[in-house]
Amino acid sequence: MNKLTRRELVALLGAGAVASRASAGSWQPSVLPGVVGLGQGSAVLGARLSPEAAGSAVFAAVESSVGAATAPEAAARLFRPDDTVGIKVNCLAGRSLSPRVELVEALVNLIVEAGVDRRRIIVFERSSRELRRAGFTLSDQGGAYRCVGTDNDYESVPQDSGSIGSCFARLVATECTALVSFGVVKDHDLSGVSAGMKNWYGVIHNPNKYHDNGCDPYIADVARHPYIRDKLRLTVLDGVVAQCHGGPAYRPGSTFELGLVAASTDPVAADLWAWQVIEAERARRGLPTLEAAGRPVRYLATAAGHGLGVADPARLKLVTA
């Protein structure tokens, strides 16, 4: 794992060096495999970040994730003005361990800087109830952005992807042209880690079917469906406060103040970083590794095998502004 400043990353890449998932068209989203940008977002459990602090953390993480000179430039490399951008948040654990509203709103403001109309930015979760519990205000029209639960509005015909057969949320399938996974840094009692990739279980109608074998290969199979793979532009992780044991629900006593926000165009690398953070805290507390605890993180190697990103720690690059 290499630690680089944004300036060093730009020098390493060379001017204008941008990888892309797109195969045609004059505009292509930036994709930097293995690169995770970090921003400082220090706060204690339950404390709100000021809009200025939230903006600083998110902007720094996103600009570092693509090696851009500024955060608005980074956003313009990721989103087109004609995009409809869906930001999938993970609110399962309630207000104590969900993406902070102020961080999500900072990301919305940054996407607006790329020229996307606020009415075309949708913060969503699988249910309205979970959004409310996490502190979000629902709004399908007006306001600073749309904020809705999919609330069982799925396509009627299941889609196959590898070993899964699922109906996807209509919002993801037909309305959004670009997607962001906004998760948290926490462990999971079956998959080992729940960060950015498992967040996509919240857009299928039958996630309960796909938890055997540490959720492998199912997490990767959901993420490699074209509805996700072809639209995913960015993964953002709220690591201001993280959790190393007892997840995916909030468990008092297992959280720790990490003080970071992470962003990556590589969903596998983002989860790899979260895994390393969790293992480091478990070691500090004298807890066994996730593998020794019977929940090895298998899905990352599977996802890398499908070309979704980098799962090799030697290729992980952490970048700061």
Side-chain angles (χ1 to χ4, degrees):
M1 178 178 62
N2 300 313
K3 292 186 178 181
L4 304 170
T5 65
R6 179 170 47 80
R7 185 186 300 274
E8 290 170 333
L9 177 63
V10 171
L12 179 65
L13 292 172
V18 176
S20 175
R21 298 187 185 95
S23 59
S26 58
W27 183 92
Q28 297 178 338
S30 293
V31 179
L32 295 184
V35 173
V36 176
L38 300 176
Q40 296 290 326
S42 296
V44 297
L45 183 66
R48 288 187 60 85
L49 291 170
S50 70
E52 294 77 17
S56 177
V58 170
F59 280 38
V62 173
E63 72 179 53
S64 296
S65 72
V66 299
T70 66
E73 178 187 326
R77 293 188 190 180
L78 298 171
F79 305 101
R80 299 188 306 261
D82 62 347
D83 272 323
T84 296
V85 182
I87 303 173
K88 169 63 172 70
V89 289
N90 184 341
C91 300
L92 171 69
R95 192 184 293 263
S96 295
L97 200 65
S98 296
R100 292 165 184 257
V101 173
E102 53 268 36
L103 293 176
V104 175
E105 292 184 343
L107 179 63
V108 169
N109 292 336
L110 180 54
I111 295 171
V112 170
E113 294 274 2
V116 181
D117 190 286
R118 288 184 178 275
R119 292 169 295 182
R120 298 172 70 99
I121 301 174
I122 311 166
V123 175
F124 72 98
E125 175 55 302
R126 62 182 179 175
S127 75
S128 299
R129 179 182 61 83
E130 288 175 313
L131 284 166
R132 291 191 192 96
R133 286 181 60 232
F136 290 91
T137 300
L138 298 180
S139 175
D140 198 18
Q141 299 293 332
Y145 53 90
R146 291 172 61 190
C147 184
V148 299
T150 57
D151 294 328
N152 297 317
D153 183 18
Y154 297 106
E155 289 192 300
S156 59
V157 179
Q159 297 279 328
D160 293 329
S161 179
S163 56
I164 72 157
S166 302
C167 298
F168 280 73
R170 200 180 308 275
L171 176 69
V172 170
T174 63
E175 186 168 0
C176 294
T177 62
L179 292 172
V180 177
S181 177
F182 206 130
V184 293
V185 178
K186 61 180 179 180
D187 73 306
H188 189 278
D189 58 1
L190 296 174
S191 62
V193 169
S194 179
M197 292 189 69
K198 195 173 184 302
N199 191 20
W200 295 118
Y201 268 34
V203 304
I204 59 174
H205 85 289
N206 56 349
N208 56 299
K209 291 181 61 177
Y210 303 123
H211 284 80
D212 292 342
N213 195 46
C215 305
D216 180 58
Y218 312 112
I219 291 176
D221 285 344
V222 173
R224 70 186 175 107
H225 188 279
Y227 286 162
I228 308 299
R229 182 174 190 161
D230 293 351
K231 298 180 182 183
L232 182 60
R233 306 282 174 81
L234 187 68
T235 296
V236 181
L237 299 179
D238 181 346
V240 176
V241 173
Q243 183 166 298
C244 67
H245 188 66
Y250 168 60
R251 178 166 177 167
S254 294
T255 60
F256 58 102
E257 294 171 24
L258 181 59
L260 293 172
V261 174
S264 183
T265 59
D266 180 334
V268 182
D271 278 24
L272 174 60
W273 171 79
W275 180 13
Q276 292 184 335
V277 165
I278 291 165
E279 293 283 27
E281 180 64 16
R282 289 178 66 85
R284 191 186 72 80
R285 296 183 179 211
L287 294 171
T289 65
L290 291 170
E291 182 170 10
R295 41 201 178 115
V297 183
R298 298 188 178 102
Y299 72 89
L300 289 182
T302 301
H306 290 304
L308 298 180
V310 170
D312 180 359
R315 296 176 57 198
L316 183 63
K317 300 179 180 68
L318 303 184
V319 186
T320 57

